[in-house]
Amino acid sequence: MEPLAHEGLARLLQIDDSLQTPHVISREDLTDSQDLVSGGTIKIDKPVDLPPTPLGLDSNKAPYLQLSEEIAVLDNASSLQPQKLVECASHFRKEAGYSRLLYAPAVEPSDMPILAYLGVDVFDDLNVELRSATGWSLDSGSWTKVNTKTTDLQSQNREELERWLLKIRTSIMNGTLRELVEMTSLHNPRVSQILHHSTSLLIEKGARRNVMIRANNLSLENPSVVDFQQRLSDYVPPAKNMVLLVLPCSARKPYFKSSSHKRFYNTIKEVDNYLALHIVSVTSPLGLVPRELEFCYPAAHYDIAVTGDWSASEVQMLREQFSRLEPEKHYLKAIVHAGSSSRIITELLRERKVDTIDTEAEKPSSSEGLEILQEITRTAIAEIPVLSSKDRAKGEAIGLAKFQYGESSPFLTESEISGHMPYKLRCGDLATISPRVGGLGLTVAGAAKYAANGGPSITAEDFKLVGDLFAIGVKSYDGHWAIGDQVVIKQNGRVTGVGIAKMNPEEMISMGRGLAVEVRHHA
Amino acid sequence: MPKAFVPLTQFVNESKLTPREHPLDQPVARWTEEEVLGEEVVEAGVAILRTRGCYWSIKEGCSMCGYFNDTVPGGVSTDMLYSQWKKIRHSLKGKRYAKIYTSGSFLDPTEVPLDFANDVMSDMADMGIEKVLVESLPEFVHPKHFSYSNSPKIEIAIGLESSNPVVLDKSVNKRLLWPHFVKVCEIAHENGAEVKAYVLLKPPYLGERDAIEDAVQSATDAAPYVDKISINPVNVQKNTVVEKLWFRDEWTAPWLWSVVEVLERCKDLPAKVYSDPTGGGTRRGAHNCNDCNSKILDALKEHRLGHGNLKGLECECRPRWEVLKHQSSYRRNGAEPHGYRRGFGNGRRF
């Protein structure tokens, strides 16, 4: 089997030429056990033994999976309490490993996307058979009662179920499985509860895919969004005693590339000491995005319907983000130039006792708006200590490195910082800005230091590494990562490459095929 | 005693609660019901004595049994048993058949003292009662436990539950050994008692089809050694493993169609096989759809009293049961989707 793509805990696996998981088997692919002690067989590409049914066991207690040589079964997947199910999901790969397929018997089509998102590989059509027998027709995962007697409902529903699984697989390939899950959760309390409780598990263990988030109200719980928000606590602005400038977000990402932000920048550039202004954009669902973090996923990868209204939950989210940024500690004052959001932002800043000026420009990027902005910034930063571009660059690198690498970030920023945001910032010969990585991308020299400072590393077999690293070439690993994180490649005790992980740690060992690391730099 | 299946033992113990307090001088319940005595249908008097309860349920207990809820953990004094008996004997007047239950074993002398049992039996013999049914675990079926000075004909009901050791161990949590069961049936017969065996239909964890096969096999195995077999569809009693599984949607009570199938397949056995489903037609008991529950229950009653057979019963839900039965062992638990029995329509229940 070969993993083709991951999203969350979901895997798109190539089993053989014509078979991919998540896969649905039909009842004819199952055989019965002759007694209660064995489990019968299941035919995926070939018939394999199922583990015995969980007689006498308490489904609320670990181990949650029943294992045979090749299959792990999640019994009661359709009835486990949402929170319990998420807890089980956090144990899936620990109990089953990566070489067993995970089968969830007798689940409803509407539960399949979320279960796939949490790591289930194989489903069956047992519930579809029961629905068909009572005259219900399947359409995109939901049921409609048909009044006319249809002779062939079972085979029609069976085909529709195949299409539903195809949709799940395509979504994993495209990185849009979460959208499909959100759609099925809309009027399904069970799926929404599971989705709600799975956020932190997905942040911790889910694959990070730099795909566009087409946001809506549900996206406030998107793991990438929540992760970004939480890590804002790690972030520090470039220097002390700056002036905070809050700007609206833009449709074009990263914001600094948009026409409105170019105009803002050209306007403030004309003011003396403009480097003392720190631009933070206000947006939903992310909240606050400081300029240095605009490359970081998902700040440059989302799209949301702009209504100009802030819902109560969005306002609360913004309040929380301000408490993470702690503007009262870092800035002398704040200027708010965010159009229709200005009033709310000003209130939130004043709640935190920040000296705040609202430009009150209704159209922030119009020429009138820009004039007002220039006027106000000029007076506001007139008496602020001068910030040199060198100090500012150093601060930018520290802030970004801390956001990306957390505690171990000093290994990067103790080097000589040069250039400036956005594209030319460098940490000596250790790291440069990389939109692909989403922030500071390590060089091979940086990778060696990263590994020495506790960064995750992979030991590969001894061969000349050219191009990417595949699972077959992985010998062992050290440390933890999620798919999408940077990992260091070592061979014979020497660092020979650095790249982006495409499989989970244990999975690289279990799989005989597939891309393990997208290598960015070779020694 | 066979080895325990440890997880189930723990599960049983965790499911139980200490019974709430009960009045000690009152029996748990009294009622009358129609029963067959010889060739006749008579009105039988039934009573449940409140006692210390089953010794096994104090130690571990069975996964489906909630009778411990009616017991008194500290035990009931013999005086109090006599006051209960006073109230019971009143309602047995004029009856020819009596059923004296406890929430345990009538033949366990530490639960029901031998002297008290002897007095009760001779009292009933004096009242003209011809036959009395008591229940016991097989370990207490010993001649010295039922050699009364004067008594009606004794019928001992024993919970066999299943003749499959895996079911007993991993589903029921009962440490009964088949050879021992056969032996006590012989002992009972040698000492002039009749034996009735209880066989479970759909103990926890089992799906519909495995349950039917197990009940038919158990009844077939037991038939040569007993006089009657009662098929007991498992119902959901409070504070049991079964109730936990039922709350979690991992098991549902069996269909009445399954009861009918078991009885049909057992009709030629050497013992009489019948069923009186506890809680029949409710969500906690064996049920079909709302349209046919009472029809099937009436037919089962007629069958039990020897008036009719179970032929020609039909309902819209019967093909649904067939489909489920067909796939039940692949579902890997005893559950089915909510509302399936009524075809996912807009009915009130099931």
Side-chain angles (χ1 to χ4, degrees):
Chain A
M1 49 175 94
E2 175 185 353
L4 300 181
H6 295 77
E7 183 182 350
L9 306 176
R11 308 193 284 173
L12 180 68
L13 284 179
Q14 187 80 45
I15 304 291
D16 64 25
D17 290 344
S18 58
L19 206 156
Q20 294 182 339
T21 67
H23 171 64
V24 61
I25 55 134
S26 70
R27 188 162 62 77
E28 289 74 41
D29 296 326
L30 293 164
T31 63
D32 210 356
S33 70
Q34 295 309 305
D35 51 47
L36 294 166
V37 196
S38 56
T41 67
I42 182 171
K43 180 169 167 271
I44 295 167
D45 51 339
K46 55 183 190 308
V48 289
D49 282 339
L50 280 169
T53 53
L55 289 184
L57 299 181
D58 183 345
S59 62
N60 276 5
K61 286 186 184 159
Y64 300 114
L65 303 180
Q66 305 298 313
L67 304 181
S68 70
E69 198 58 42
E70 279 150 288
I71 299 286
V73 180
L74 173 66
D75 284 298
N76 307 311
S78 59
S79 56
L80 282 167
Q81 288 299 307
Q83 256 168 301
K84 196 75 210 171
L85 181 65
V86 173
E87 196 195 319
C88 297
S90 71
H91 287 73
F92 282 173
R93 293 303 161 196
K94 229 183 294 168
E95 291 183 13
Y98 284 92
S99 50
R100 285 192 184 89
L101 291 175
L102 178 53
Y103 166 47
V107 301
E108 277 294 314
S110 57
D111 285 3
M112 289 176 186
I114 181 81
L115 287 171
Y117 194 34
L118 294 177
V120 175
D121 301 303
V122 181
F123 301 100
D124 59 39
D125 66 349
L126 295 177
N127 277 12
V128 170
E129 187 183 39
L130 294 187
R131 279 280 179 172
S132 308
T134 45
W136 292 77
S137 154
L138 181 64
D139 179 25
S140 298
S142 65
W143 294 106
T144 316
K145 180 85 177 168
V146 279
N147 291 322
T148 48
K149 273 250 182 280
T150 317
T151 43
D152 218 7
L153 204 49
Q154 165 69 11
S155 60
Q156 278 177 28
N157 285 341
R158 179 61 224 186
E159 278 168 28
E160 176 62 23
L161 184 64
E162 284 290 353
R163 274 195 292 279
W164 184 237
L165 265 290
L166 177 62
K167 199 165 176 177
I168 294 176
R169 289 193 294 268
T170 315
S171 303
I172 299 175
M173 199 51 164
N174 298 339
T176 53
L177 179 62
R178 185 169 178 101
E179 288 185 6
L180 182 60
V181 174
E182 283 173 357
M183 273 190 277
T184 51
S185 79
L186 269 183
H187 297 285
N188 187 326
R190 178 174 164 80
V191 175
S192 2
Q193 280 184 68
I194 299 170
L195 189 59
H196 171 80
H197 292 299
S198 58
T199 306
S200 59
L201 171 64
L202 291 166
I203 292 175
E204 189 198 339
K205 293 191 175 162
R208 300 190 229 283
R209 292 274 296 270
N210 294 6
V211 291
M212 182 78 135
I213 297 173
R214 296 187 283 188
N216 56 29
N217 286 346
L218 289 170
S219 308
L220 287 174
E221 287 197 352
N222 188 303
S224 309
V225 171
V226 176
D227 189 32
F228 183 92
Q229 290 170 345
Q230 287 172 351
R231 282 192 294 142
L232 193 69
S233 327
D234 289 339
Y235 170 79
V236 278
K240 287 260 171 253
N241 300 331
M242 296 176 83
V243 173
L244 170 66
L245 174 56
V246 180
L247 294 178
C249 64
S250 63
R252 175 117 188 225
K253 314 284 180 325
Y255 310 130
F256 66 80
K257 280 187 162 181
S258 72
S259 63
S260 63
H261 277 248
K262 280 179 187 158
R263 295 168 83 168
F264 293 138
Y265 184 70
N266 290 336
T267 307
I268 59 171
K269 208 169 63 175
E270 290 169 20
V271 180
D272 289 340
N273 194 20
Y274 78 95
L275 287 178
L277 282 171
H278 186 227
I279 294 173
V280 172
S281 304
V282 53
T283 179
S284 183
L286 289 177
L288 300 173
V289 182
R291 174 113 305 170
E292 296 76 44
L293 305 186
E294 285 182 18
F295 279 122
C296 299
Y297 184 74
H301 312 77
Y302 73 94
D303 193 6
I304 188 165
V306 179
T307 58
D309 287 328
W310 290 83
S311 72
S313 54
E314 285 172 318
V315 173
Q316 184 51 35
M317 177 272 294
L318 279 174
R319 181 176 284 124
E320 196 150 322
Q321 287 314 90
F322 272 120
S323 76
R324 287 179 168 132
L325 187 64
E326 301 182 300
E328 67 280 10
K329 271 196 193 165
H330 298 293
Y331 304 107
L332 290 176
K333 51 182 118 178
I335 300 167
V336 181
H337 186 66
S340 57
S341 324
S342 291
R343 201 178 47 76
I344 288 162
I345 303 296
T346 308
E347 269 172 33
L348 290 173
L349 280 165
R350 287 184 180 148
E351 264 178 30
R352 302 193 70 84
K353 308 269 184 286
V354 179
D355 179 9
T356 307
I357 310 158
D358 182 357
T359 62
E360 290 177 14
E362 274 177 34
K363 291 188 172 165
S365 59
S366 66
S367 10
E368 297 84 33
L370 293 171
E371 229 166 87
I372 301 171
L373 175 64
Q374 201 175 55
E375 200 76 12
I376 289 180
T377 46
R378 184 166 284 137
T379 46
I381 59 174
E383 283 150 29
I384 302 291
V386 174
L387 183 61
S388 75
S389 65
K390 202 166 169 137
D391 289 346
R392 163 116 193 190
K394 176 110 188 152
E396 284 173 345
I398 291 174
L400 177 55
K402 220 172 156 225
F403 181 85
Q404 269 188 281
Y405 296 89
E407 291 294 298
S408 67
S409 67
F411 83 92
L412 271 184
T413 48
E414 278 159 6
S415 63
E416 194 183 332
I417 311 288
S418 60
H420 56 82
M421 283 298 284
Y423 287 108
K424 296 198 172 152
L425 194 67
R426 296 182 68 93
C427 300
D429 62 347
L430 303 180
T432 53
I433 287 289
S434 154
R436 177 74 186 87
V437 170
L440 291 166
L442 297 169
T443 62
V444 174
K449 280 210 163 188
Y450 185 38
N453 282 278
S457 65
I458 293 164
T459 304
E461 303 284 351
D462 193 17
F463 59 89
K464 173 123 183 70
L465 183 65
V466 284
D468 292 334
L469 177 63
F470 290 83
I472 187 80
V474 176
K475 212 151 86 180
S476 63
Y477 67 89
D478 195 22
H480 300 282
W481 66 83
I483 293 172
D485 290 350
Q486 291 185 91
V487 286
V488 181
I489 301 169
K490 290 180 181 170
Q491 285 173 301
N492 270 334
R494 215 168 59 85
V495 173
T496 55
V498 60
I500 299 169
K502 291 285 165 187
M503 285 186 195
N504 294 298
E506 197 52 46
E507 195 177 16
M508 288 189 186
I509 308 293
S510 305
M511 292 293 120
R513 295 178 64 104
L515 178 61
V517 182
E518 177 192 314
V519 180
R520 296 190 62 252
H521 296 292
H522 298 93
Chain B
M1 195 171 263
K3 247 172 69 184
F5 185 62
V6 178
L8 182 55
T9 296
Q10 282 172 3
F11 200 2
V12 169
N13 283 331
E14 286 163 10
S15 304
K16 290 172 140 180
L17 294 179
T18 315
R20 58 188 174 80
E21 288 200 14
H22 302 287
L24 302 184
D25 59 340
Q26 303 276 353
V28 177
R30 283 173 294 170
W31 71 92
T32 59
E33 63 187 28
E34 283 179 282
E35 219 359 297
V36 185
L37 182 64
E39 300 292 308
E40 298 170 69
V41 174
V42 297
E43 189 158 84
V46 191
I48 307 174
L49 281 170
R50 196 181 298 286
T51 64
R52 176 208 71 192
C54 173
Y55 95 97
W56 177 241
S57 95
I58 295 168
K59 217 171 152 205
E60 292 187 13
C62 297
S63 60
M64 71 294 168
C65 177
Y67 292 143
F68 67 88
N69 288 307
D70 297 323
T71 63
V72 182
V76 179
S77 69
T78 314
D79 283 353
M80 285 298 159
L81 287 176
Y82 277 108
S83 10
Q84 289 183 30
W85 175 246
K86 226 182 260 172
K87 285 164 186 140
I88 293 168
R89 76 183 301 280
H90 186 70
S91 63
L92 295 180
K93 277 190 188 127
K95 304 283 187 301
R96 292 164 61 198
Y97 194 166
K99 301 180 179 183
I100 309 298
Y101 298 139
T102 73
S103 300
S105 295
F106 190 89
L107 300 187
D108 177 355
T110 66
E111 185 184 337
V112 180
L114 283 176
D115 291 344
F116 169 74
N118 197 46
D119 288 349
V120 164
M121 287 297 171
S122 57
D123 196 4
M124 281 193 283
D126 294 344
M127 286 162 73
I129 292 173
E130 293 166 33
K131 190 171 174 182
V132 61
L133 174 85
V134 295
E135 294 175 328
S136 177
L137 281 168
E139 42 267 55
F140 302 112
V141 181
H142 188 279
K144 68 180 181 205
H145 292 159
F146 60 98
S147 51
Y148 305 111
S149 51
N150 179 21
S151 77
K153 171 101 178 149
I154 305 282
E155 185 181 12
I156 303 170
I158 301 174
L160 168 64
E161 323 305 4
S162 168
S163 61
N164 182 335
V166 176
V167 173
L168 286 177
D169 189 28
K170 295 193 169 185
S171 161
V172 182
N173 198 44
K174 190 164 189 159
R175 313 270 190 276
L176 179 145
L177 282 170
W178 173 254
H180 185 230
F181 173 78
V182 172
K183 202 175 125 203
V184 301
C185 290
E186 280 161 7
I187 290 172
H189 285 131
E190 281 162 13
N191 290 275
E194 284 180 12
V195 179
K196 170 175 166 182
Y198 294 135
V199 166
L200 288 182
L201 175 61
K202 205 174 178 189
Y205 302 99
L206 263 57
E208 212 69 26
R209 207 205 54 191
D210 288 339
I212 293 170
E213 296 305 323
D214 181 60
V216 171
Q217 188 57 49
S218 301
T220 312
D221 290 342
Y225 308 101
V226 300
D227 305 278
K228 286 186 205 166
I229 295 169
S230 169
I231 302 293
N232 294 355
V234 171
N235 62 318
V236 184
Q237 300 178 1
K238 288 206 185 337
N239 307 321
T240 58
V241 164
V242 164
E243 192 184 41
K244 282 238 161 112
L245 297 183
W246 183 66
F247 280 151
R248 289 181 194 167
D249 286 333
E250 292 172 15
W251 178 92
T252 48
W255 293 61
L256 288 169
W257 292 123
S258 302
V259 182
V260 172
E261 176 173 333
V262 171
L263 298 182
E264 281 290 292
R265 285 170 61 181
C266 292
K267 65 180 176 199
D268 297 327
L269 292 182
K272 185 186 169 190
V273 185
Y274 64 92
S275 179
D276 182 10
T278 311
T282 70
R283 275 175 298 175
R284 281 181 178 257
H287 61 273
N288 284 346
C289 71
N290 241 357
D291 298 337
C292 67
N293 279 332
S294 47
K295 188 170 81 184
I296 309 285
L297 287 170
D298 286 347
L300 286 175
K301 188 176 174 192
E302 292 299 297
H303 171 265
R304 178 167 68 90
L305 299 178
H307 293 162
N309 60 35
L310 298 167
K311 294 259 179 309
L313 291 169
E314 271 316 322
C315 177
E316 220 186 325
C317 68
R318 190 171 168 126
R320 291 174 203 149
W321 165 75
E322 297 271 6
V323 174
L324 177 76
K325 190 175 64 157
H326 227 71
Q327 60 158 255
S328 63
S329 53
Y330 306 127
R331 300 182 67 88
R332 295 174 59 89
N333 64 17
E336 63 201 42
H338 272 287
Y340 178 60
R341 295 186 193 192
R342 58 173 154 76
F344 303 109
N346 295 323
R348 273 183 304 117
R349 297 195 296 159
F350 313 131

